[in-house]
Amino acid sequence: MRKLIAAVALLAAAGCSVSAGADDGRQTVVVGYQSKTINTVTAGTLLRGLGYLEKRLGDGYRVEWQDYDTGAPITAKMVAGKIDIGSMGDYPLLINASRTQGVAAARTELVSVTGYNLRGGLNSVVVAPSSDVRTLAGLKGKKVSASSGSAGHGTLVQALERAGLDPATDVEVVNQQPPVGASALQSGNVQGYAQFVAWPGLLVFRNQARLVYDGSALDVPTFHGVVVRQAYAKEHPDVVQAFLQAQIDATRYLHEHPVEAAEAVAEATGLPAEVVYLYNGRDGIASFDVTMKPRLLAALDHDQKYLKSIGTDFAGVDVARFANDSYLRKAYGASYDADTASTANAAKIGGTDEACGTAVGDPAKAGEVWLAGEDRLRPAATPACLLRQVAAAVSGGKAVRAAYVPDAATGTHWFADRSVWVRDPSAGEDDRFKPFTTGDGAQAYVKEHPKAEIVGYDEALKAAAGALKAAAGGTSR
């Protein structure tokens, strides 16, 4: 892992200078990516650090990696013929197709997926921790930062409509790059922040924001993918094959070494490893799978009407024509159709829960605890069992780097200490405490379960510690 981290850090420091001034007869492949958009790491940061593409291409090529905050500049450079391969989110993918389809030399094709969430959990809306806004509807009349035409912007538009608000008149959307918007939220210049992975999780982890809307509530798939200039792909099919095979290799590495991958991406980007793992770890918010699933393409088509409403001069896209999996089929092999039909996360939480003594198997309940000084995460069968693990660790003088739990309704993984907890005395002992990403979700559960009540995280931990003492004293649970 140390070698991988060192390699990623060196590449990040080198920037785009790798081919500057070089004239050694090698062909240059220009790849546009977003290092901090960690749902694209298998076609960007992690792939770059592992060196898989360079190995696949061989000595006749050099790779120039160009890093951006959003997909917009990647599209602009693809239109100009200055980037050959790029990765970005679903809304930017549509804009990319729209702006290149009328120019034969610039026309692009979607050739693979990096990561996805079938419910939309990769995009979120947050507010300042001290904000009195508790629901999305509470943003009426306020300013919300978003990157125009991004996946986060699209989620905001759809969510506002669901909440009965007019996205064009009931809120003022301020078009800002993610880092600028984050600063604006801290200063109070905007009252909401709608963005894509990993910005909302980063701000919440740093106690600089509170989640007010979990994109999973939309229940509309969202994903990131890879586009290639069609003319370039036809002229250099070997490069496209090498890229896709390298991406498949990087995806496999991520599945098999999630902690090492998170640490390496964190080192390269400056993001906390705990935030990277939230999205990219076992049963994380993102499922990494290169195949182009029908549900994802259908969602891409569904998103077009919302993108048109944003006012980005978007022209309609023939998604069936834009998506070309012929290169991927060749790179992937005989199992492509079967794997395309599956939506199971290849990186699942498993093992035995040390606190409850049960096997971990249900992804709707499974979580993990990351203790300081440990290079593996401890599996938890249920959120209540996870609370016991955390309580035991704290009482034993161990520091907890992070604890991850799935939302009881949507399944979105979130930080346990940033979740809204509900105690339901009518549930079994191991299921008595239920976490939710937002207050909205917790309130909805309490409304349907009259005996349930919202409790603080510290109170939930105290109850878990009591359960541990009772178990140690021989009291039946």
Side-chain angles (χ1 to χ4, degrees), residues 217-359:
L218 273 182
D219 200 17
V220 176
T222 185
F223 72 99
H224 289 65
V226 176
V227 284
V228 177
R229 288 192 295 110
Q230 186 182 69
Y232 181 86
K234 289 180 178 179
E235 186 176 354
H236 302 283
D238 55 329
V239 174
V240 178
Q241 288 299 309
F243 186 93
L244 294 174
Q245 288 167 342
Q247 186 192 347
I248 292 168
D249 294 340
T251 303
R252 185 180 302 112
Y253 180 91
L254 180 66
H255 292 159
E256 296 174 353
H257 307 282
V259 177
E260 291 90 338
E263 295 278 19
V265 171
E267 184 73 18
T269 62
L271 293 167
E274 296 89 343
V275 174
V276 178
Y277 193 88
L278 170 70
Y279 293 96
N280 294 8
R282 293 186 182 90
D283 279 328
I285 300 177
S287 294
F288 284 86
D289 183 339
V290 300
T291 63
M292 287 194 272
K293 303 182 185 302
R295 286 182 64 181
L296 301 181
L297 298 181
L300 197 63
D301 203 27
H302 161 87
D303 291 341
Q304 293 201 59
K305 63 179 180 180
Y306 294 98
L307 195 49
K308 290 177 181 177
S309 72
I310 290 173
T312 54
D313 298 324
F314 172 75
V317 171
D318 184 344
V319 172
R321 182 185 179 190
F322 175 51
N324 177 7
D325 67 358
S326 63
Y327 295 103
L328 184 58
R329 283 179 176 276
K330 183 177 179 181
Y332 200 94
S335 63
Y336 180 79
D337 286 329
D339 291 347
T340 300
S342 172
T343 56
N345 192 330
K348 295 186 64 176
I349 299 173
T352 301
D353 185 307
E354 297 175 1
C356 291
T358 57

Side-chain angles (χ1 to χ4, degrees), residues 68-291:
Y68 300 94
D69 286 331
T70 65
I74 297 176
T75 290
K77 285 205 167 186
M78 293 189 87
V79 171
K82 295 182 178 180
I83 286 181
D84 305 312
I85 302 171
S87 59
M88 59 194 72
D90 41 15
Y91 277 73
L93 284 170
L94 284 169
I95 294 175
N96 182 285
S98 174
R99 293 186 178 173
T100 64
Q101 63 186 356
V103 183
R107 183 177 297 134
T108 59
E109 294 177 315
L110 174 67
V111 294
S112 70
V113 170
T114 57
Y116 69 89
N117 183 286
L118 290 178
R119 294 188 61 101
L122 297 172
N123 311 306
S124 307
V125 183
V126 299
V127 297
S130 60
S131 172
D132 59 0
V133 174
R134 298 295 167 184
T135 67
L136 198 67
L139 288 172
K140 184 175 182 179
K142 301 184 184 299
K143 294 181 180 180
V144 180
S145 174
S147 301
S148 182
S150 71
H153 189 190
T155 292
L156 175 67
V157 170
Q158 295 190 56
L160 288 171
E161 284 192 356
R162 292 269 187 98
L165 301 181
D166 186 336
T169 60
D170 285 334
V171 301
E172 181 183 345
V173 176
V174 182
N175 181 21
Q176 295 174 322
Q177 293 292 297
V180 176
S183 297
L185 184 69
Q186 304 312 305
S187 66
N189 289 333
V190 297
Q191 291 73 53
Y193 180 82
Q195 280 296 352
F196 46 83
V197 52
W199 291 96
L202 173 64
L203 296 183
V204 170
F205 179 75
R206 290 177 171 171
N207 288 320
Q208 295 173 341
R210 170 171 46 83
L211 189 66
V212 74
Y213 187 82
D214 172 5
S216 294
L218 273 182
D219 200 17
V220 176
T222 185
F223 72 99
H224 289 65
V226 176
V227 284
V228 177
R229 288 192 295 110
Q230 186 182 69
Y232 181 86
K234 289 180 178 179
E235 186 176 354
H236 302 283
D238 55 329
V239 174
V240 178
Q241 288 299 309
F243 186 93
L244 294 174
Q245 288 167 342
Q247 186 192 347
I248 292 168
D249 294 340
T251 303
R252 185 180 302 112
Y253 180 91
L254 180 66
H255 292 159
E256 296 174 353
H257 307 282
V259 177
E260 291 90 338
E263 295 278 19
V265 171
E267 184 73 18
T269 62
L271 293 167
E274 296 89 343
V275 174
V276 178
Y277 193 88
L278 170 70
Y279 293 96
N280 294 8
R282 293 186 182 90
D283 279 328
I285 300 177
S287 294
F288 284 86
D289 183 339
V290 300
T291 63

Side-chain angles (χ1 to χ4, degrees), residues 4 8 11-12 33-38 40-50 65 67 264-266 268-269:
L4 174 58
V8 173
L11 286 166
Y33 74 113
Q34 303 166 67
S35 63
K36 286 185 169 61
T37 306
I38 55 175
T40 65
V41 294
T42 54
T45 307
L46 183 63
L47 176 61
R48 182 182 184 183
L50 291 167
W65 299 87
D67 186 10
V265 171
T269 62

Side-chain angles (χ1 to χ4, degrees), residues 3-17:
K3 290 183 179 179
L4 174 58
I5 290 176
V8 173
L10 180 62
L11 286 166
C16 302
S17 63

